Structures are given as C-alpha cells and as structure tokens.
Amino acid sequence: MPRMKLPSSYFLRKPLREILDPCGFEEIKVVREGSVCRVYFDFYNGAMSTDQALRLRRTLEEVAKEPNIKVVALMGGERFFSTGK
C-alpha cells in the first residue's frame, strides 16, 4: 500500500509562523536604547530580495513613527552590510 507523504507542519499543533526559529536567527532585528534605535538586517551574503527590502522598509517606517527615537543606526549583518546597486 503506498504511503502518503505529508509536510512536517501537518503534525505541528501551531502554524509554522508562530514557532520561533530554534537558533534565534532573525533577518531583521530592532534594538532600542533610549533615543537610539539600531536596525540589524542580516541577509544571505548581504544581498536582499524584493520581499526582504520591503520588510526592511516597513520596519524603518515603523521606527520612524516612534516619537522618542532620535537616531537610527543601520547595522547590516554579521559579515556584510549590504551588497548590490
């Protein structure tokens, strides 16, 4: 009898988007310290897709709405800031 193959998410109780990555890796991370906000964006080899660029833009727009933030530092990733044109 053939076995049916199911995605692993079928067996999880919560949707995958609600489960945190076990290693804690975040492509975009915001760290606020007083009036300074550091935005880290760690994309593979420093290159970002259109979707990643739009998510980074939305993050920066949200940070810009915060009245107590006076300085935003773009930090890039662990090995690369950004590559591309």
Side-chain angles (χ1 to χ4, degrees):
M1 178 174 189
R3 299 183 101 184
M4 186 158 72
K5 293 184 179 183
L6 297 172
S8 60
S9 60
Y10 175 82
F11 298 98
L12 299 173
R13 294 180 186 205
K14 292 183 179 182
L16 285 176
R17 67 183 172 275
E18 293 180 20
I19 298 173
L20 295 175
D21 184 10
C23 68
F25 175 76
E26 298 176 62
E27 279 190 331
I28 301 173
K29 183 168 100 173
V30 177
V31 177
R32 295 168 186 85
E33 293 178 0
S35 63
V36 176
C37 179
R38 292 179 299 182
V39 179
Y40 295 86
F41 48 100
D42 197 0
F43 303 128
Y44 181 73
N45 282 339
M48 67 182 88
S49 67
T50 301
D51 180 57
Q52 290 168 320
L54 292 172
R55 285 190 289 120
L56 180 58
R57 177 181 166 182
R58 283 193 301 270
T59 299
L60 293 172
E61 288 171 346
E62 290 299 314
V63 168
K65 292 177 186 176
E66 297 182 31
N68 61 323
I69 298 298
K70 305 295 181 208
V71 176
V72 177
L74 301 178
M75 304 302 290
E78 186 176 317
R79 295 187 58 215
F80 300 96
F81 178 78
S82 181
T83 61
K85 299 176 181 182

